[in-house]
Amino acid sequence: MGSLSADATLPWVKTPCVFSPQVSRAVGCNIYLKLDNLQPSGSFKSRGIGNLMTRAAARGNPDIHFYCASGGNAGLACATSALALKRPCTVVVPVTTSPFMKNKLIQLGAEVQQVGKNLYTATQYVVDELVAKDPNGVFVPPFDHPDVWDGAATILPELRDQMEVPIDGIVCSVGGGGLFNGLMQGIEALPWDGPKPEVVAVETDGADSLNACLRAGQHITLPEITSIAVSLGCSRVSEQTWKWAHYPNTHSLVVSDADAAISCVRFADDARLLVEVSCGAALAAAYKGDLRATVGKGLSDAEWAQKNIVLIVCGGSGVSLQLLDRYVEEYAAHTSIKV
């Protein structure tokens, strides 16, 4: 195993975990926000993708070149990680990717190619045409790799250091399952004085590949993605996600696009932070009252008020003030969440 140069910087950072009086009031228990939207790339993917790339770079090949297919957060995590590790990267984006996102990648120093009508075809191009023909090439998967899960698992030791109260539950959005896998792995790796934290995995309707598996009783693939939460738009969760979902401390929830979108608007008011609609899925579980029906099932109001729940604010690049305004116009009438 080689080592990184002394001037290389880890591609992810320890993020704050803060108590939120506003969200706690809305939920009825103690809500803490793990602010992984403050990662260098703007999302939690800096941990997993950064860890995978750091380990690959540490193997000692000075000519390593990273390749990633992504139209969003994974590409940004790859580009910011490559910048931190002082290594080159190429990000292949589908033709549907906006000029705004392409420019963000270019500004980070990534070589950007635009190939294919969707992420699947872009990924096939990366694997078959770029990585296969570059002896120094390393493919950077967005979620389905043990190094990615190890990176996501670093959230747990941070939470243990930051929280002065027991952690009763952790809520996260789920796309392909990289974050969920890391959280479960991190929980299993640590000793707990009491019960292990409950983990609530939240998806949007139309991108609910994990929940569809649980309903079907087998690991299946969604025929299509219809949700606006494109960062959650993975038609099949990883095999490891399917396995973790059977653990007794896990719950699967599905919220509507309207719930997730308006939760982002509400969160901007409550926390003064902008997050994309895929992150809004986890927030919606809080604002809608779904957490009380899962983690707090059967508890009295007084008992529920004592519970300590961590919301993973996973962030995301697909958000702007203009988009939040549009969400209010399009979705405010279709959700019980008030703004």
Side-chain angles (χ1 to χ4, degrees):
M1 178 69 73
S3 61
L4 292 172
S5 59
D7 58 349
T9 303
L10 280 179
W12 72 94
V13 297
K14 181 178 180 179
T15 57
C17 182
V18 298
F19 175 74
S20 173
Q22 296 86 353
V23 184
S24 296
R25 192 175 307 116
V27 179
C29 70
N30 301 314
I31 297 293
Y32 295 81
L33 307 174
K34 182 57 172 167
L35 299 176
D36 251 36
N37 58 311
L38 301 182
Q39 290 292 348
S41 69
S43 85
F44 75 99
K45 284 188 178 291
S46 285
R47 291 182 188 267
I49 286 176
N51 185 59
L52 181 144
M53 292 173 62
T54 298
R55 289 181 176 178
R59 295 185 185 111
N61 179 1
D63 300 316
I64 193 171
H65 189 115
F66 293 104
Y67 294 93
C68 179
S70 170
N73 297 319
L76 288 172
C78 179
T80 54
S81 297
L83 191 63
L85 297 169
K86 305 185 188 304
R87 303 291 196 272
C89 77
T90 298
V91 180
V92 176
V93 301
V95 295
T96 53
T97 302
S98 68
F100 173 75
M101 182 56 65
K102 285 172 56 182
N103 289 335
K104 288 184 79 167
L105 292 166
I106 291 169
Q107 289 167 5
L108 288 167
E111 176 193 347
V112 178
Q113 298 184 29
Q114 199 157 16
V115 178
K117 63 181 180 179
N118 54 39
L119 191 56
Y120 176 80
T121 51
T123 301
Q124 292 304 114
Y125 174 78
V126 168
V127 173
D128 298 338
E129 298 297 326
L130 298 180
V131 177
K133 297 177 181 179
D134 183 352
N136 299 306
V138 171
F139 175 57
V140 179
F143 63 87
D144 197 0
H145 194 284
D147 289 347
V148 173
W149 312 333
D150 288 348
T154 60
I155 291 177
L156 264 299
E158 289 180 23
L159 285 176
R160 285 290 289 265
D161 289 342
Q162 293 167 326
M163 298 278 287
E164 297 179 353
V165 294
I167 304 171
D168 297 304
I170 301 175
V171 186
C172 69
S173 298
V174 174
L179 175 57
F180 174 71
N181 291 356
L183 293 174
M184 292 299 294
Q185 181 177 307
I187 287 171
E188 289 298 309
L190 290 173
W192 299 92
D193 293 333
K196 295 174 184 176
E198 304 284 310
V199 178
V200 183
V202 192
E203 301 167 288
T204 50
D205 188 18
D208 49 339
S209 48
L210 175 59
N211 193 264
C213 292
L214 292 169
R215 294 196 308 270
Q218 58 182 318
H219 193 191
I220 64 172
T221 302
L222 289 182
E224 62 177 336
I225 300 296
T226 58
S227 171
I228 63 170
V230 293
S231 295
L232 301 184
C234 179
S235 59
R236 185 179 178 89
V237 296
S238 74
E239 185 70 33
Q240 186 59 49
T241 304
W242 171 234
K243 292 177 181 177
W244 280 126
H246 291 86
Y247 274 59
N249 62 324
T250 64
H251 307 270
S252 172
L253 293 177
V254 179
V255 300
S256 69
D257 279 349
D259 293 334
I262 295 302
S263 290
C264 293
V265 179
R266 174 77 176 266
F267 192 68
D269 288 338
D270 285 345
R272 300 169 302 282
L273 294 168
L274 299 187
V275 295
E276 70 175 35
V277 68
S278 299
C279 179
L283 301 176
Y287 285 129
K288 274 190 66 188
D290 291 339
L291 294 184
R292 178 68 186 271
T294 52
V295 180
K297 187 175 183 180
L299 299 181
S300 67
D301 289 347
E303 290 170 328
W304 175 239
Q306 298 303 311
K307 293 297 181 181
N308 306 303
I309 310 294
V310 177
L311 300 185
I312 306 297
V313 183
C314 56
S317 57
V319 63
S320 66
L321 291 172
Q322 292 80 4
L323 186 59
L324 294 186
D325 286 340
R326 201 174 84 207
Y327 286 163
V328 174
E329 295 175 5
E330 294 186 16
Y331 295 113
H334 303 286
T335 175
S336 61
I337 298 168
K338 303 301 181 183
V339 291

